[in-house]
Amino acid sequence: MREEYDAYTAAHGRPDRIELMLCDINAVLRGKWLPGDAVGKLSSGSVRLPYSTYVPAIMGNEVEATGLGIVVGDPDGVLMPVPGTLKPVPWMPGNVAQMQVEMLTPEGEPSPISPREILKSMLARYEARGWHPVVATELEFYILKPRERGDDAPEPPARTPMAQNYDLEVVARQEAILTEILAGCEAQGLDTDTLIAEYGPGQFEVNFHHTSDVLAAAETALLFRRLVRGIVGRHGMEATFMAKPYADAPGNGMHVHASVLDGQGQNIFAPIGDEAPSSTLKKAVAGVLDTMADLQAVFAPHMNSYRRFQPMTFAPSRPDWGLDNRSAGVRLPQITGPAARLEHRISGADVNPYLMLTAVLGGMLHGFDHDPELPLPLDDPNAEPAQPLGHDWFDAVERFSASPLAAEIFGEDYVRVYAAVKHDEVQTLTGLITPVEYRYYLSRL
């Protein structure tokens, strides 16, 4: 920690403060501000947060059914720095740094309810086989006009076409914001690739480079969302990674490209001889398809997430696959050579990246180990439509909580905690009476 801090001060000067960021179950960053000269308190283990900070509901409340929080006295956990994450926050005034932190249990062990530890456990399963996953993420977001109230509907920026797919003029109009976003990514070491205007009004997508550091890929997605909201806000606008901010426009997705290297650095998805796709790649595809419905509560974690799974919403909504077919839940953009891989296209941009990557990699392992039947690809004229994924949040949470596949991938304890939080959110948010109900029912019934 001291070496990393000294390197930061040599490059940027002593920070006014360090924002300590802990990723909770919903990928909300929670934490503390630490004075810039008090870094020794962090490295010595004297900075703490309630251990239950990992698992609040999206509304911010504790969930008693998790067995954490005040029901057990709400004990503290010790904050520990995540190495390599001390970075400048260029959109903040002054010299502000940020750093990711994790919490130890009250017994001093790595936390089993940390989303980052969940992903580390999955990566350990691959490492035990001598394998190393390689992933790349793509994230979509909307830029909006600033809103006066939190419950105001979103509006796109002025002079924005309703369909702007790949429109370079739209990109040019937002050049100041987008250029600052890319510069901020460079300052924070977030390895961006391409940037495009996506289909929806005010919607953009950034792709990140492939990496074998899967934890870093998750952190890049997590920190990119914070960076975009911060920089767009500095320009007097608003940004959102909400899954479906507009009813009549495409939602925001988070796509993941995944392959696996063996101990010699060779892609195990690359075919041998004329076999393409390879049997290994087919098993991985079959695995993620077989687990997709059971894990939908991870790929679509919020009430709004399920609006992406309605018909004609520009998002894949079935556990199906195809060769370079963007309507499929799983697309194979490349089936030969070192770039052979699958693209998982179901998730919204509102996911927890650690949990989403755990689910995808866990689904692939399920395919390797159990070899479930692989349906015909969409490209085959004899293919039959797959059963659609659910569009009901409560049903998805119920299925996840009872799923042996979810328990195999995430562990029974984490499935219980995750389901408890989601059940609390479902009960609270679906219990609200909406303005639409008042408009159409109150004076007529």
Side-chain angles (χ1 to χ4, degrees):
M1 178 68 225
R2 191 75 221 181
E3 290 179 4
E4 190 169 346
Y5 180 78
D6 289 345
Y8 179 95
T9 57
H12 307 286
R14 185 180 70 79
D16 303 323
R17 67 173 184 269
I18 304 173
E19 299 185 345
L20 305 179
M21 306 179 304
L22 181 88
C23 177
D24 78 4
I25 199 168
N26 282 310
V28 174
L29 291 170
R30 303 182 184 273
K32 292 184 174 183
W33 285 6
L34 186 71
D37 58 358
V39 69
K41 298 176 73 173
L42 180 62
S43 55
S44 68
S46 59
V47 183
R48 299 168 179 263
L49 277 177
Y51 187 59
S52 60
T53 305
Y54 274 125
V55 290
I58 193 68
M59 299 81 67
N61 59 286
E62 291 182 355
V63 178
E64 184 176 334
T66 62
L68 300 165
I70 199 63
V71 295
V72 290
D74 208 15
D76 278 343
V78 175
L79 295 184
M80 298 299 292
V82 175
T85 64
L86 183 63
K87 303 292 183 181
V89 185
W91 63 90
M92 294 281 190
N95 187 342
V96 177
Q98 67 179 36
M99 186 165 216
Q100 283 186 260
V101 291
E102 285 288 289
M103 243 190 302
L104 301 179
T105 67
E107 294 74 36
E109 299 295 327
S111 172
I113 58 170
S114 156
R116 191 172 191 271
E117 288 295 323
I118 294 293
L119 178 55
K120 283 177 68 174
S121 295
M122 176 55 65
L123 294 174
R125 298 191 208 181
Y126 276 83
E127 188 175 350
R129 303 174 188 225
W131 290 347
H132 307 282
V134 174
V135 301
T137 64
E138 304 170 357
L139 272 173
E140 295 167 338
F141 62 95
Y142 276 94
I143 295 177
L144 318 169
K145 288 181 180 178
R147 297 173 305 144
E148 292 185 4
R149 302 184 310 171
D151 57 358
D152 286 344
E155 291 184 43
R159 301 173 59 210
T160 299
M162 286 302 295
Q164 59 171 46
N165 211 18
Y166 304 113
D167 191 327
L168 290 176
E169 185 175 335
V170 169
V171 176
R173 286 184 196 141
Q174 301 296 342
E175 180 181 8
I177 292 176
L178 299 176
T179 300
E180 189 171 340
I181 287 173
L182 294 177
C185 287
E186 184 176 0
Q188 293 194 335
L190 308 182
D191 196 10
T192 57
D193 189 2
T194 58
L195 183 150
I196 62 168
E198 259 294 347
Y199 197 98
Q203 187 182 36
F204 299 90
E205 178 185 86
V206 168
N207 297 346
F208 296 94
H209 286 288
H210 287 78
T211 177
S212 59
D213 190 340
V214 179
L215 286 173
E219 278 141 18
T220 292
L222 180 72
L223 298 179
F224 179 73
R225 297 195 304 208
R226 179 177 195 255
L227 179 148
V228 167
R229 286 192 294 265
I231 289 176
V232 171
R234 204 169 77 86
H235 285 260
M237 303 290 279
E238 189 174 352
T240 185
F241 292 82
M242 182 178 174
K244 188 74 171 170
Y246 296 109
D248 55 354
N252 288 320
M254 177 177 167
H255 302 163
V256 173
H257 296 251
S259 58
V260 180
L261 305 182
D262 63 19
Q264 288 71 49
Q266 301 299 309
N267 185 351
I268 69 171
F269 290 166
I272 299 173
D274 296 330
E275 177 198 39
S278 69
S279 59
T280 312
L281 179 52
K282 286 180 178 178
K283 286 183 179 181
V285 172
V288 296
L289 294 181
D290 196 46
T291 55
M292 193 174 282
D294 280 24
L295 304 182
Q296 190 180 4
V298 171
F299 302 133
H302 306 296
M303 180 169 66
N304 175 261
S305 307
Y306 291 82
R307 294 189 180 276
R308 291 182 67 247
F309 295 98
Q310 306 296 333
M312 304 302 292
T313 58
F314 297 90
S317 58
R318 298 173 187 263
D320 49 22
W321 70 288
L323 303 176
D324 199 15
N325 188 326
R326 284 183 168 83
S327 69
V330 175
R331 168 178 171 252
L332 303 188
Q334 183 72 38
I335 60 174
T336 61
R341 65 192 188 275
L342 63 82
E343 180 189 9
H344 193 282
R345 297 174 55 81
I346 290 296
S347 295
D350 57 343
V351 295
N352 184 313
Y354 294 111
L355 301 183
M356 185 268 202
L357 288 172
T358 299
V360 172
L361 297 178
M364 288 165 51
L365 274 189
H366 171 73
F368 300 144
D369 291 345
H370 300 287
D371 196 14
E373 182 179 356
L374 179 66
L376 293 174
L378 292 179
D379 321 84
D380 192 305
N382 297 315
E384 297 184 2
Q387 187 71 21
L389 293 168
H391 59 267
D392 184 273
W393 188 23
F394 175 75
D395 288 347
V397 174
E398 285 285 279
R399 181 164 182 165
F400 178 82
S401 67
S403 168
L405 293 174
E408 176 189 342
I409 291 170
F410 288 93
E412 291 183 5
D413 287 344
Y414 198 75
V415 167
R416 178 188 61 79
V417 169
Y418 188 87
V421 171
K422 292 300 156 185
H423 277 130
D424 183 81
E425 294 175 358
V426 169
Q427 182 177 0
T428 300
L429 297 182
T430 60
L432 298 175
I433 299 177
T434 67
V436 170
E437 293 173 80
Y438 290 136
R439 180 186 304 168
Y440 292 108
Y441 299 143
L442 194 64
S443 62
R444 297 190 181 193
L445 302 176

